Amino acid sequence: MEFKIAVLPGDGIGPEISEQGVAVMTAVCEKFGHKVTYDYAICGADAIDKVGDPFPEETFHTCLHADAVLFSAVGDPKYDNDPTAKVRPEQGLLAMRKKLGLYANIRPVETFDCLIHKSPLKDELVRGADFICIRELTGGMYFGEKYQDNDKAYDTNFYSRPEIERILRIGYEYARRRHKHLTVIDKANILASSRLWRQIAKEMAPQYPDVLTDFMYVDNASMRMLQEPRFFDVMVTENTFGDILTDEGSCITGSMGLLPSASTGDHTPVFEPIHGSWPQAKGQDIANPLAQILSVAMLFEYFGLEAEGRLIRKAVSASLDANVRTPEIQVEGGAKYGTKEVGAWIVRFIESSNDISN
Ligand code: IPM
Ligand code: MN
């Protein structure tokens, strides 16, 4: 295949992990005989500083004309601590989602055996937990009508039937490819928008007789995720609930720095780590590049290139087993590797692997 990749390194540790993601992408393409070219574009605080816009038109066009976007992170404390700031890096992310029509955010929550001790949950609860959260990404309160004055404020949780149907369809498709269990998460006892979600899911369920559909209120789901994370296979939910539940999901595995995500929809798909820009670590070569590298695996898998994805996953597991780890996940007494060293180790593993059909 020929890949044209838009690379958006963004802020904080973004550029450092981006570099490793690109190196892995290049190594895998070389190994499997794919062609790849990269177009770099600015976003986030970096773009505000340079051109006053966190998702400039030029960046949008670079993304639009690419086969996939490799995104890293945006965010800078100088904006977090300034409530009067007119433009914020995060608005760039929302603009990217809206303009590229990225309505489906796929966030796998996977455990790595060697990191389970990092989980705040008991080992026996979390071992083997493996589910996917499908978060609706371009609707709900994030984008609904808003109002704010000194005395009152509101955000509207608007959803239309087509928006709900298309994301539920994706939920069902994932469930079919996995363990055939879809949990629709809502707050239908209170919210009209949730009641519509539930009604539409009930209408659609008979089209997927091989999938078990169940419904769970979001408060209950957040509890169940801690009590019995293995209950879940595929969960599907609206934008705000998905934002909250995926943070909870990512930390129960003990490996937040290892979780990638994909956002797909009308135009170019975007692949990115779920963690943020960690500005305090910027330039120190200590950030874990694995979530970014695994987002490259998701990129290949999106294009149906399973062996390529598998080789990346194998290389990542091998690096963990070999204790080639960044400081936050290194075992006691183990040598601490930098972002670059971990990336380089994985690239060498890929280059020297002689079984590309694995
Ligand atoms: C996420 C982030 C974003 C969100 C922020 C940075 C706008 O928390 O991707 O989950 O709330 O969607
Ligand atoms: Mn979030």
Side-chain angles (χ1 to χ4, degrees):
M1 230 185 117
E2 268 192 59
F3 285 107
K4 196 170 158 150
I5 305 293
V7 183
L8 274 58
D11 305 322
I13 57 167
E16 295 163 66
I17 57 169
S18 174
E19 197 183 319
Q20 303 315 317
V22 167
V24 167
M25 177 93 206
T26 305
V28 172
C29 284
E30 227 154 78
K31 183 111 240 163
F32 286 83
H34 303 301
K35 285 216 169 73
V36 60
T37 54
Y38 303 102
D39 284 324
Y40 283 79
I42 55 172
C43 64
D46 177 39
I48 299 178
D49 291 346
K50 288 176 177 147
V51 300
D53 179 348
F55 191 65
E57 207 49 30
E58 205 182 319
T59 298
F60 172 51
H61 281 109
T62 304
C63 293
L64 206 55
H65 296 117
D67 299 309
V69 177
L70 193 59
F71 184 91
S72 297
V74 292
D76 190 292
K78 80 178 174 211
Y79 296 96
D80 296 342
N81 303 326
D82 177 7
T84 64
K86 290 253 170 350
V87 279
R88 296 172 178 282
E90 289 78 9
Q91 288 167 343
L93 197 54
L94 297 195
M96 177 175 80
R97 290 172 182 171
K98 200 63 178 182
K99 287 181 148 181
L100 293 176
L102 302 169
Y103 57 81
N105 183 215
I106 318 293
R107 297 190 168 183
V109 176
E110 256 184 281
T111 49
F112 290 82
D113 280 354
C114 62
L115 293 176
I116 280 183
H117 65 283
K118 292 268 179 192
S119 171
L121 297 190
K122 289 195 196 99
D123 187 318
E124 67 267 24
L125 276 182
V126 75
R127 190 173 292 276
D130 174 9
F131 60 89
I132 289 192
C133 181
I134 296 178
R135 168 189 175 193
E136 200 292 327
L137 203 59
T138 51
M141 278 193 280
Y142 275 62
F143 294 96
E145 188 193 321
K146 289 175 192 296
Y147 178 78
Q148 182 180 5
D149 64 29
N150 272 333
D151 304 308
K152 57 189 176 305
Y154 61 77
D155 302 277
T156 316
N157 202 29
F158 179 90
Y159 271 106
S160 66
R161 175 175 277 272
E163 286 176 303
I164 301 171
E165 281 176 353
R166 67 184 179 183
I167 193 76
L168 288 174
R169 225 173 286 126
I170 291 192
Y172 275 114
E173 281 159 17
Y174 270 88
R176 272 201 164 150
R177 293 205 296 271
R178 289 175 49 98
H179 304 290
K180 303 185 168 37
H181 178 195
L182 181 72
T183 305
V184 180
I185 296 175
D186 62 28
K187 187 73 184 170
N189 49 347
I190 302 293
L191 302 178
S193 51
S194 283
R195 283 194 286 274
L196 184 61
W197 272 69
R198 202 174 268 225
Q199 180 194 322
I200 294 175
K202 285 191 169 155
E203 288 167 16
M204 287 171 68
Q207 298 165 31
Y208 302 90
D210 49 330
V211 175
L212 169 71
T213 309
D214 51 27
F215 298 90
M216 207 181 273
Y217 296 142
V218 62
D219 46 351
N220 188 21
S222 71
M223 187 172 74
R224 193 72 180 261
M225 218 195 277
L226 301 182
Q227 288 176 327
E228 199 193 348
R230 280 190 300 254
F231 171 85
F232 296 103
D233 175 23
V234 178
M235 51 171 80
V236 61
T237 192
E238 60 108 89
N239 204 344
T240 308
F241 296 161
D243 178 45
I244 299 166
L245 289 175
T246 52
D247 261 34
E248 184 185 349
S250 71
C251 87
I252 64 174
T253 66
S255 47
M256 179 150 186
L258 265 68
L259 299 182
S261 76
S263 301
T264 66
D266 299 327
H267 304 291
T268 320
V270 174
F271 301 87
E272 60 177 305
I274 69 151
H275 61 69
S277 62
W278 198 17
Q280 301 78 3
K282 180 181 174 159
Q284 292 183 40
D285 195 38
I286 55 171
N288 192 338
L290 295 186
Q292 178 86 79
I293 289 171
L294 287 167
S295 70
V296 178
M298 285 188 90
L299 188 160
F300 282 113
E301 287 156 1
Y302 173 88
F303 289 99
L305 301 170
E306 300 292 332
E308 286 81 339
R310 219 161 29 238
L311 179 57
I312 296 176
R313 292 177 190 283
K314 194 171 154 190
V316 165
S317 295
S319 74
L320 291 169
D321 291 342
N323 283 330
V324 178
R325 306 180 187 192
T326 43
E328 92 290 359
I329 55 167
Q330 187 49 287
V331 292
E332 235 179 85
K336 294 183 169 64
Y337 291 82
T339 312
K340 285 193 168 80
E341 287 169 310
V342 172
W345 195 95
I346 287 172
V347 165
R348 275 199 306 277
F349 184 97
I350 289 166
E351 285 169 352
S352 61
S353 156
N354 42 30
D355 177 14
I356 62 168
S357 61
N358 51 8

